[in-house]
Amino acid sequence: IHNIGGSGIVYVRNRKKTEEIAKWLFQNKISSSFYHAGINANDRAIIQQNWIENKFQVIVATNAFGMGIDKPDVRFVVHLDLPESLEAYFQEAGRAGRDEKSAYAILLCNNYDVASLKDQYEQKTPSIEEIKQSYQAIYNFYQIPVESGEGLSVSFDINEVTRNYNLKPVTLYNSIKCLEKEGYFSYLDGGYEPSKVMMKMNKDDLYNYQIKFPKYEPVIKVLLRSYGGLYEQYVHIKEKDVAYRAKISEHELSIQLENLNTQGVISFIPQTTLPKLIFLQNRINLKFESIQLLNYPILKEKALTRINSVVNYVTEKNICRSRLLLSYFNETDFKDCQYCDVCIEKYKRNLETEEGLIENIKMELTHQSFSLTELMRKFQSVNSKRFNDLINKLIDDDVLQIDSEKNIHLK
């Protein structure tokens, strides 16, 4: 970052690491901030805008960052963790250099990272038995009997479920994602949702309840007068407004709403920032029926192909990175880029042989002429006598020529 300068992005895999790396950069005199989906939307927008306006140099982010952003002067994109697919890498690395000036895409990895990526594949593709266990655990946790549950929406605390049923959070989460693709659930990531109320008692029973328990009458009347449709569906409520109109504290209101819920007067769902799990089908009896995983083998195979493509990309030592990347997208009419680590290593090796050195000299002279001094400067690692002798030989062989200004041309 010190050498290249300018604005940049550092991609990492998890939220905690974004904060750790941003702090480390700051300690090393590099202005930075972090960005991930756990930050509220308003703060994310401010961080993003400050980076776009170059109020700090580097943004450290998960892959939640970057969609729809067109900042032209990004000089570098660094990946500290392996991406899950070459599609993701292509998109993220492609955020550098959109102004068509020099920019760098750097992927740092070692053997441990490759092994870790393969482990993540195993975690993201749980066994069929683990998917069944997760299915049972979810329905048991929410006490949903067989042939019930379709249309139910619940706040989903993954840690609560895993604690109760001795499952790993990553196994449960990825089992849900598999079941979601098969149409059993719909999983919505966390976001603020206000409290919801629906009346469960009919009007006659509700009237009798208020006579028997007058303490709750003010709250019930405020709800009915302030919100329409309570008998037909869940309605979002503002607890602060309800408490004010009922002339009680918000704490007291929470207690009364919970009591009314327990006694079957209302159905009350408190405000939450937890993810939502929506049951799209009734619970099946796994003793007599099987979970249909028609797409699972195909999805598992595709996931493995994506992982292997990334591993192949980072472990390949002989094929130009750009050619390798573009061939993945079925673009084959492309020459070596001359800039990636593979091309640079190949260039160094070529300098060791006369044939390779000639090839590199001709490449340098393809579009431009140089004086002998300028040309030698480009091949500083080559012995000067050896280089001079080779240039003279190429001139004698009519491969190169010198003009009146003593510039060397490719003939």
Side-chain angles (χ1 to χ4, degrees), residues 85-180:
S85 69
L86 288 183
E87 287 88 350
Y89 181 68
F90 191 79
Q91 184 181 72
E92 290 159 8
R95 294 187 176 119
R98 291 185 176 178
D99 55 5
E100 298 187 11
K101 295 178 182 177
S102 289
Y104 298 82
I106 303 109
L107 195 160
L108 298 171
C109 72
N110 56 28
N111 291 335
Y112 172 80
D113 295 317
V114 172
S116 177
L117 187 66
K118 290 178 177 178
D119 286 343
Q120 284 161 24
Y121 160 76
E122 294 297 333
Q123 291 173 352
K124 287 204 167 186
T125 53
S127 69
I128 291 175
E129 190 54 40
E130 287 172 328
I131 293 172
K132 287 179 180 177
Q133 289 172 0
S134 299
Y135 180 90
Q136 292 279 61
I138 291 165
Y139 279 99
N140 289 341
F141 181 81
Y142 291 103
Q143 299 180 353
I144 300 169
V146 170
E147 297 184 7
S148 301
E150 184 176 353
L152 180 66
S153 173
V154 296
S155 295
F156 186 70
D157 187 337
I158 195 166
N159 294 317
E160 277 291 311
V161 180
T162 52
R163 267 197 299 270
N164 278 272
Y165 293 93
N166 197 28
L167 289 166
K168 292 179 181 177
V170 68
T171 302
L172 180 59
Y173 176 79
N174 288 309
S175 294
I176 289 170
K177 299 308 282 184
C178 290
L179 290 164
E180 185 177 36

Side-chain angles (χ1 to χ4, degrees), residues 15 21 23 26 64 87 108 125 139 149 186 247 253 279 302 354 379 389 405:
R15 296 175 181 183
I21 299 297
K23 182 180 178 182
F26 184 78
E87 287 88 350
L108 298 171
T125 53
Y139 279 99
S186 178
K247 295 183 172 58
L253 174 65
F279 296 81
K302 284 183 177 178
E354 183 170 298
F379 294 88
D389 291 346
E405 295 179 354

Side-chain angles (χ1 to χ4, degrees), residues 1 20 73 83 91 165 199 230 281 288 332 345 350-351:
I1 292 169
E20 290 172 349
D73 61 341
Q91 184 181 72
Y165 293 93
M199 283 293 173
L230 283 169
Q281 298 182 21
F288 306 108
T332 54
E345 284 301 314
N350 281 348
L351 295 183

